[in-house]
């Protein structure tokens, strides 16, 4: 099953041509919108069709309150339809902040002489992972600067360490990567280590704007970064994540470009991005980015809702860069994954004495400092199911990662039961009694609502097994 817009399905398009900034601006400027057109486009997305760039522009250009509310409501409905009420949880783990690039927005940039540089040793990685496991984490994204020390072999090695560490009943079941672009051979090496998603954010898809911020090092090469995920695909990595650092250029252009990149991946490889990330720029040590392209909370919410509608099958990640209150609000408009208990100072998960953020030791400031336990408790208050599920990846249901979206009943058959099973593990191994009580109520409610008796009785059986001490059961 493919979901790409035919007008861009040109597999032999030259690489550098797949982002044509003039074309994108032309579409934004020449596409008219109206409340009626907005409703039509939303309906198309609700019928699970991918939107064309012109249709995305209809949503981007809609500014009247009723249309913006309709976009948000549409995204909410689509999210519930596609993903149900579960939210997947993960944590970032910064492995090293050495970096030879000079990205003006980043605390790790080479010219920041105040930065305290560090790469975790294997023992330190082990301690970090043990600390994460003690909180109940099962899914990580490992993060690295771009530096000769962080070779594909080194990245692969750290991934293997992450999988090996097991403290008590803890284990990491999925290790994603956020690192610099590699060559095809490099991608092959990290693939063999068993990575989940390989994330690379383009930061800005506008070639001129890209030059303003990327002042030195390999990352100043726009095309090398833009084509990274093509090389990943060549190397057999079909599970990739794209993203934009919002605040570097006009958000309307960036949303169109994210959809354009999605079209390109679909057209060339029959598989779009597994995830889309939308970090919004935050304070960093010696931060040198002006506020010309600052994205307001209202526009941020709108753009997330538009992305949800435009690419209904993709996972959408909202991180602890954003404050708790805003995350709680925005989550409903299409987000499917969040991080919890996040610390981004190198070595800070195991350093229980160091509680205050120090910008010289981190890439940027995070604004949601809630623990994983607090986040889980609050998700339960909203009747959401916190999930640590890794089943699809481990059952080989990846290439067709449209499944949640395209296979009828997929959520009911796999996602909800798997989310519940990981929540039961969390209750048994980590939850405080009040959280456990709330979680059991949510589980009971969800089981009662299940229509398929076979799934229901099989799930109840598995829950009993988890209560008896079995772990890692999934469908
Ligand atoms: N060094 C690798 C690279 O640049 O691809 C890893 C990326 S970095 C560790 C993860 C992401 O954080 C970047 O791609 C960027 O989008 C984001 N980031 C960097 N500085 C930021 C800031 N000041 N505020 C928010 N996000 C930031
Ligand atoms: Fe280095 Fe990445 Fe920071 Fe750029 S964004 S300075 S590449 S760590």
């Amino acid at each position: 099953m493919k979901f790409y817009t035919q007008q861009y399905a040109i597999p032999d398009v030259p690489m550098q041509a797949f982002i044509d900034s003039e074309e994108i601006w032309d579409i934004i400027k020449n596409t008219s919108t109206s409340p009626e057109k907005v409703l039509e486009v939303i309906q198309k997305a609700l019928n699970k069709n991918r939107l064309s760039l012109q249709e995305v522009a209809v949503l981007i250009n809609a500014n009247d309150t009723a249309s913006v509310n309709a976009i948000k409501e549409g995204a909410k409905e689509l999210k519930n339809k596609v993903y149900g009420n579960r939210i997947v949880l993960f944590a970032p783990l910064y492995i090293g902040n050495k970096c030879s690039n000079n990205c003006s927005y980043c605390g790790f940039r080479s010219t920041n002489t105040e930065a305290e540089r560090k790469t975790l040793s294997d023992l330190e990685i082990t301690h970090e992972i043990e600390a994460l496991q003690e909180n109940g984490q099962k899914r990580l994204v490992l993060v690295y600067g771009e530096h000769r020390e962080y070779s594909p072999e080194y990245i692969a090695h750290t991934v293997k360490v992450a999988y090996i560490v097991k403290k008590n009943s803890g284990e990491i079941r999925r290790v994603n990567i956020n690192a610099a672009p590699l060559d095809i051979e490099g991608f092959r090496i990290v693939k063999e280590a068993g990575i989940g998603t390989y994330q690379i954010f383009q930061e800005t898809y506008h070639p001129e704007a890209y030059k303003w911020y990327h002042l030195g090092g390999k990352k100043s090469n726009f095309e090398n970064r833009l084509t990274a995920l093509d090389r990943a695909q060549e190397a057999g990595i079909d599970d990739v994540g794209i993203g934009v650092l919002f605040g570097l250029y006009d958000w309307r252009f960036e949303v169109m470009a994210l959809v354009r990149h999605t079209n390109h991946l679909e057209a060339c490889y029959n598989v779009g991005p597994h995830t889309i990330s939308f970090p919004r720029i935050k304070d960093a040590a010696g931060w040198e980015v002006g506020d010309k392209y600052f994205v307001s909370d209202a526009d941020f919410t709108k753009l997330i809702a538009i992305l949800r509608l435009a690419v209904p099958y993709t996972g959408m990640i909202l991180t602890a860069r954003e404050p708790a209150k805003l995350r709680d609000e925005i989550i409903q408009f299409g987000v499917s994954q969040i991080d919890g208990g996040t610390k981004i100072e190198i070595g800070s998960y195991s350093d229980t004495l160091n509680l205050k953020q120090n910008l010289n030791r981190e890439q940027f400031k995070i604004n949601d400092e809630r623990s994983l336990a607090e986040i889980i408790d609050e998700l339960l208050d909203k009747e959401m199911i916190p999930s640590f599920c890794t089943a699809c990846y481990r059952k080989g249901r990846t290439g067709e990662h449209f499944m949640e979206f395209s296979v009828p009943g997929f959520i009911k058959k796999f996602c909800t039961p798997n989310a519940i099973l990981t929540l039961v593990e969390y209750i048994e191994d980590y939850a405080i009694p009040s959280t456990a009580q709330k979680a059991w109520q949510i589980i009971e409610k969800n089981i009662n609502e299940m229509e398929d008796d076979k799934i229901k009785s099989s799930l109840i059986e598995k829950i009993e097994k988890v209560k008896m001490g079995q772990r890692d059961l999934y469908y």
Side-chain angles (χ1 to χ4, degrees):
M1 211 162 178
K2 292 174 200 166
F3 297 92
Y4 53 77
T5 44
Q6 290 303 324
Q7 65 266 43
Y8 292 111
I10 315 166
D12 58 353
V13 68
M15 279 311 169
Q16 68 275 23
F18 82 79
I19 293 294
D20 177 340
S21 24
E22 270 179 38
E23 178 201 42
I24 290 179
W25 273 123
D26 271 357
I27 299 175
I28 297 174
K29 287 183 181 150
N30 297 322
T31 303
S32 63
T33 188
S34 68
E36 295 72 33
K37 278 194 192 167
V38 167
L39 293 181
E40 255 172 53
V41 172
I42 295 172
Q43 196 49 54
K44 183 173 173 194
L46 285 174
N47 293 338
K48 295 185 172 185
N49 294 303
R50 276 275 276 103
L51 301 182
S52 68
L53 284 172
Q54 284 74 7
E55 287 159 341
V56 175
V58 168
L59 303 183
I60 283 177
N61 288 336
N63 289 316
D64 62 291
T65 312
S67 293
V68 174
N69 285 340
I71 292 169
K72 282 158 51 180
E73 284 310 307
K76 201 165 159 182
E77 191 181 332
L78 187 67
K79 185 205 158 176
N80 289 336
K81 217 166 161 180
V82 174
Y83 292 93
N85 57 352
R86 82 190 199 286
I87 290 283
V88 172
L89 293 162
F90 72 94
L93 173 57
Y94 278 69
I95 300 291
N97 66 353
K98 294 187 182 173
C99 195
S100 46
N101 292 323
N102 186 8
C103 312
S104 55
Y105 46 79
C106 174
F108 292 169
R109 70 191 178 283
S110 54
T111 52
N112 181 13
T113 48
E114 303 289 305
E116 296 171 30
R117 306 283 169 182
K118 186 166 171 56
T119 304
L120 296 178
S121 67
D122 285 1
L123 187 63
E124 287 167 328
I125 296 177
T126 304
H127 288 155
E128 287 291 276
I129 291 176
E130 286 177 347
L132 286 157
Q133 289 177 352
E134 275 173 357
N135 291 331
Q137 300 281 8
K138 298 277 186 283
R139 304 169 57 107
L140 299 183
V141 52
L142 304 189
V143 188
Y144 314 75
E146 181 161 7
H147 193 267
R148 60 181 185 284
E149 277 180 29
Y150 310 145
S151 63
E153 290 79 5
Y154 175 76
I155 293 177
H157 170 74
T158 55
V159 170
K160 286 179 193 158
V161 174
Y163 281 125
I164 288 167
V165 178
K166 292 194 174 28
K167 175 109 193 251
N168 302 324
S169 31
E171 67 175 331
I172 299 303
R173 297 175 183 158
R174 182 174 171 109
V175 180
N176 298 332
I177 296 291
N178 187 319
L182 304 175
D183 59 19
I184 296 176
E185 186 48 31
F187 278 119
R188 280 205 185 101
I189 292 168
V190 292
K191 180 185 161 59
E192 272 163 26
I195 59 158
T197 309
Y198 202 103
Q199 300 178 345
I200 298 173
F201 307 155
Q202 187 60 29
E203 319 298 12
T204 170
Y205 281 93
H206 193 275
E208 279 305 308
Y210 191 91
K211 284 188 204 149
W212 305 336
Y213 304 104
H214 300 99
L215 307 173
K218 282 192 195 159
K219 193 167 164 182
S220 53
N221 184 335
F222 175 84
E223 274 173 21
N224 182 49
R225 197 162 180 93
L226 188 64
T227 53
L229 295 178
D230 296 272
R231 295 193 294 282
Q233 296 278 354
E234 293 286 316
I237 298 179
D238 63 3
D239 190 337
V240 299
I242 61 174
V244 153
L245 182 53
F246 281 96
L248 297 182
Y249 188 61
D250 193 304
W251 68 264
R252 300 170 299 164
F253 178 92
E254 306 289 20
V255 168
M256 294 285 281
L258 281 167
V259 176
R260 183 68 191 87
H261 197 170
T262 300
N263 293 347
H264 167 76
L265 293 172
E266 289 175 353
C268 295
Y269 310 105
N270 286 339
V271 59
H274 191 126
T275 54
I276 297 184
S277 297
F278 27 86
R280 195 163 51 149
I281 201 149
K282 299 294 166 194
D283 282 356
W287 195 61
E288 287 168 24
V289 178
D291 57 6
K292 182 167 179 203
Y293 294 109
F294 172 77
V295 179
S296 68
D297 288 354
D299 284 342
F300 191 53
T301 312
K302 179 179 165 189
L303 77 86
I304 290 170
I306 292 174
L307 283 170
R308 172 73 298 147
L309 292 166
V311 195
Y313 61 76
T314 201
M316 304 241 302
I317 304 178
L318 179 65
T319 68
R321 290 173 179 85
E322 300 301 335
K325 202 164 165 278
L326 188 66
R327 287 228 284 180
D328 288 350
E329 159 78 12
I330 288 180
I331 219 171
Q332 55 181 319
F333 301 120
V335 173
S336 55
Q337 292 188 27
I338 59 170
D339 51 343
T342 292
K343 293 185 181 176
I344 62 171
E345 250 174 60
I346 315 274
S348 54
Y349 287 114
S350 53
D351 183 358
T352 46
L353 298 175
N354 177 15
L355 299 174
K356 223 169 162 286
Q357 288 189 61
N358 173 349
L359 283 188
N360 282 331
R361 289 210 209 121
E362 53 193 29
Q363 194 180 17
F364 49 82
K365 187 175 179 326
I366 59 164
N367 293 289
D368 182 353
E369 297 190 79
R370 285 176 296 178
S371 67
L372 179 65
E374 285 168 326
I375 289 202
I376 288 183
D377 197 75
E378 291 173 29
L379 287 173
L380 291 166
D381 282 337
K382 294 187 192 73
E383 303 211 339
M384 290 180 177
I385 313 176
S387 172
F388 295 95
C389 180
T390 52
C392 280
Y393 164 67
R394 292 154 83 218
K395 284 259 185 191
R397 297 190 292 244
T398 54
E400 287 276 311
H401 67 243
F402 306 105
M403 262 182 295
E404 301 163 81
F405 168 67
S406 60
V407 175
F410 193 89
I411 294 282
K412 288 181 186 151
K413 210 165 148 195
F414 297 107
C415 303
T416 306
N418 284 332
I420 289 176
L421 286 169
T422 60
L423 181 57
V424 175
E425 285 186 350
Y426 181 82
I427 297 172
E428 293 294 306
D429 295 336
Y430 308 102
I432 57 169
S434 57
T435 302
Q437 199 189 355
K438 276 184 212 174
W440 281 123
Q441 279 169 6
I442 299 294
I443 290 171
E444 203 179 310
K445 183 167 182 278
N446 276 273
I447 291 180
N448 286 340
E449 284 168 4
M450 284 181 174
E451 287 152 13
D452 187 323
D453 286 339
K454 242 171 106 186
I455 297 176
K456 205 182 211 171
S457 58
S458 156
L459 177 62
I460 292 171
E461 218 174 273
K462 278 198 167 47
I463 289 176
E464 286 310 312
K465 286 184 182 162
V466 177
K467 283 164 81 178
M468 301 292 288
Q470 283 196 43
R471 292 289 172 270
D472 205 14
L473 303 179
Y474 51 89
Y475 293 90

